Amino acid sequence: THTPTLRPTFAPLDFDETRRPTSSPTARAEAKYTNGGCPPDSWLFGLFQYDGGLDGWDTTRLAISYQDFLHTSFAYKGGLVDGGEGIEYLCLKLDTCYRVMTQGGKWLDEIRWELKPAVLGRRDRFKWS
C-alpha cells in the first residue's frame, strides 16, 4: 500500500511520490492514469488542425468514420473554428480502419491536419509521437 505524500510540492515537474514504479508492467486496462481517459480498448490520439490563412477552416469540415458492423459511426466531425491551429483529443481503436473525409469550403489548399498517438506518462502530462 502507498501512503500520501506528507509535504506535497507544487513544482511544475514534481513527480507524484505516492505512485512508486514497479518491476512488472501494468496491463493497459488496469492503468487508470495512463490511458488518457480512453476506454481500455482504445488509445489517445491528437488531431492537429492547421490553417494557412490563420482564420480557421470557415465551412470546411473533417469527418473520421468507421464501420461498426453494418452501421457507419463517427469518431470525429468538426473543423478548426478559428485561428491558425488547434487540437482535438480522440480515442481510437488500433484494430479499426478509419476513413477521413473533408467537405465544403473554398480554401482547401490552406488547411492541413495530422493524427498523432499520445505517449502517455503521468496522468496530467503526455507527449506526441
Side-chain angles (χ1 to χ4, degrees):
T1 62
H2 300 290
T3 57
T5 304
L6 297 177
R7 284 179 275 141
T9 128
F10 298 100
L13 298 177
D14 185 38
F15 292 99
D16 185 356
E17 294 183 22
T18 60
R19 296 189 53 191
R20 305 265 186 231
T22 64
S23 59
S24 60
T26 303
R28 186 171 181 81
E30 298 170 4
K32 65 181 180 179
Y33 294 121
T34 60
N35 204 15
C38 294
D41 63 342
S42 298
W43 296 73
L44 180 65
F45 281 79
L47 173 62
F48 292 82
Q49 302 172 0
Y50 308 100
D51 180 65
L54 305 177
D55 58 355
W57 287 4
D58 300 314
T59 59
T60 302
R61 295 291 171 255
L62 179 79
I64 301 175
S65 65
Y66 60 96
Q67 287 297 122
D68 188 12
F69 295 102
L70 298 175
H71 175 49
T72 299
S73 297
F74 289 90
Y76 176 78
K77 288 182 0 180
L80 183 62
V81 177
D82 59 12
E85 61 183 55
I87 184 172
E88 296 286 339
Y89 301 98
L90 307 175
C91 294
L92 301 176
K93 297 178 182 182
L94 295 183
D95 62 349
T96 300
C97 183
Y98 291 92
R99 180 178 178 195
V100 180
M101 302 162 285
T102 57
Q103 180 181 16
K106 58 182 178 179
W107 305 106
L108 291 175
D109 58 329
E110 287 185 1
I111 72 164
R112 292 183 303 120
W113 61 271
E114 59 184 329
L115 200 56
K116 296 181 180 181
V119 177
L120 301 168
R122 288 186 56 198
R123 64 179 162 216
D124 59 343
R125 299 175 197 273
F126 49 86
K127 61 183 179 178
W128 304 103
S129 66

